[in-house]
């Protein structure tokens, strides 16, 4: 090692690649080109006189040194941001607009909002709820949306993956709607990926269906299902305890998982937006690790 000093930009690049295990995703996260990220990693490895990553056709993995260095690098970024915040108190105040669907707002956002409030108590957050993909259009337009949490759009390559959620068939606890010859469905409007996947799956197994309820509101879908008059599709985190989950035993084919991504307007690159985006991503990364540990303990305990 030539010197004990680290350039924070190099550390940010290392952490982004280490957490995403992908140079392209790391570049999108930091709003840099992939080549710029590669150059930063090369400079950091030269600085350390050691390799931090192994690159092969299967992807990117951390070396032993990289694994040990990751937690230290994450702390370096946190301390750097804390120092900047203390010296620049104006960055802790302001307004940030986060757009998402009602489903994600009610089921995924509460713990994230608590984390943001803990570190930025003076900030004003405006939550805008609507169709996820419409929010992405607002992000690309001149609207004042800063961040969007949405289901992955098939035609977009930007965005940072937060969580993968299973899609589940659900009905009311006392419902018999799932045994109807023509399944009554409660669905979001056309364009919703839940709706698309549900119809594809039912058609694949030649199961008759009809749209009985259409609603853009998450609460509206819950109301229709709670009436015991319909079957719907929800992400696993959004399934109320009193709902009944249907599976192959009930004649309902398995559905694919969906990825929920964080999208950021390229022009919204200030320290405040970056802090919030990092807080959101860190929450889901930590939650995924904790979930994986629980599953491992259950499998082998």
């Amino acid at each position: 090692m030539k010197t004990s000093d680290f350039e924070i930009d190099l550390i940010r690049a290392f952490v982004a690649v280490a957490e995403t295990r992908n140079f392209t995703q790391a570049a999108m996260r930091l709003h840099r080109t992939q080549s710029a990220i590669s150059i930063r990693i090369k400079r950091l490895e030269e600085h350390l006189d050691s390799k931090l990553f192994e690159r092969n056709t299967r992807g990117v993995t951390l070396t032993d040194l990289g694994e040990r260095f990751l937690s230290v690098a994450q702390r370096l970024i946190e301390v750097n941001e804390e120092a900047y915040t203390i010296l620049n108190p104006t960055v802790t105040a302001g307004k940030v607009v986060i757009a998402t669907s009602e489903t994600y707002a009610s089921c995924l956002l509460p713990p994230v909002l608590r984390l943001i409030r803990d570190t930025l108590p003076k900030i004003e957050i405006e939550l805008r709820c609507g169709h996820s993909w419409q929010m992405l259009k607002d992000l690309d337009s001149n609207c004042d949306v800063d961040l969007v949490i949405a289901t992955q759009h098939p035609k977009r390559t930007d965005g940072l993956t937060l969580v993968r959620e299973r899609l589940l068939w659900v009905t009311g606890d006392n419902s018999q709607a799932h045994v109807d010859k023509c399944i009554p469905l409660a669905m979001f409007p056309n364009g919703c990926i839940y709706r698309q996947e549900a119809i594809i799956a039912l058609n694949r197994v030649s199961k008759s269906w009809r749209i009985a309820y259409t609603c853009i509101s998450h609460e509206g879908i819950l109301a229709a299902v709670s009436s015991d008059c319909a079957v719907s599709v929800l992400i696993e985190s959004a399934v109320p305890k009193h709902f009944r989950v249907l599976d192959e035993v009930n004649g309902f084919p398995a559905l694919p998982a969906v990825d929920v991504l964080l999208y950021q307007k390229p022009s919204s690159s200030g320290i405040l937006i970056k802090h919030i985006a990092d807080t959101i991503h860190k929450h889901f990364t930590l939650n995924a690790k904790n979930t994986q540990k629980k599953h491992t303990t259950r499998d082998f305990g």
Side-chain angles (χ1 to χ4, degrees), residues 66-77:
E67 290 280 4
R68 298 198 305 273
F69 185 56
L70 178 56
S71 61
V72 177
Q74 290 168 331
R75 291 202 302 274
L76 285 172
I77 293 175

Side-chain angles (χ1 to χ4, degrees), residues 61 89 162 235 248 298:
T61 58
L162 296 177
I235 57 170
E248 289 92 337
R298 182 164 60 249

Side-chain angles (χ1 to χ4, degrees), residues 83-215:
Y84 185 86
T85 300
I86 291 172
L87 295 172
N88 298 272
T90 56
V91 304
T92 63
K95 179 179 177 180
V96 176
V97 179
I98 302 176
T100 189
S101 67
E102 283 190 5
T103 301
Y104 297 158
S106 61
C107 302
L108 301 179
L109 273 192
V112 175
L113 296 178
R114 284 195 294 271
L115 285 174
I116 295 172
R117 184 63 60 184
D118 287 343
T119 56
L120 298 169
K122 297 180 181 179
I123 193 177
E124 177 187 351
I125 295 178
E126 180 180 337
L127 291 178
R128 295 185 186 174
C129 295
H131 192 289
S132 291
W133 292 352
Q134 179 59 49
M135 298 298 181
L136 290 177
K137 291 181 180 179
D138 292 342
L139 190 75
D140 294 335
S141 70
N142 293 324
C143 294
D144 56 349
V145 175
D146 299 303
L147 298 167
V148 172
I149 297 175
T151 307
Q152 183 174 22
H153 194 289
K155 295 183 179 180
R156 297 184 72 121
T157 57
D158 60 326
L160 182 65
T161 301
L162 296 177
V163 64
R164 174 164 290 184
E165 285 274 352
R166 290 197 301 163
L167 287 180
L168 299 177
W169 296 100
V170 296
T171 193
D173 196 34
N174 299 311
S175 175
Q176 293 299 308
H178 61 290
V179 298
D180 284 8
K181 289 185 178 179
C182 186
I183 304 300
L185 298 176
M187 291 288 163
F188 292 109
N190 278 325
C192 172
I193 193 168
Y194 301 2
R195 177 178 177 137
Q196 293 172 8
E197 294 296 348
I199 292 172
I200 290 172
L202 291 176
N203 289 341
R204 188 172 62 245
V205 298
S206 301
K207 201 172 186 69
S208 298
W209 57 271
R210 66 184 179 88
I211 300 296
Y213 301 90
T214 300
C215 187

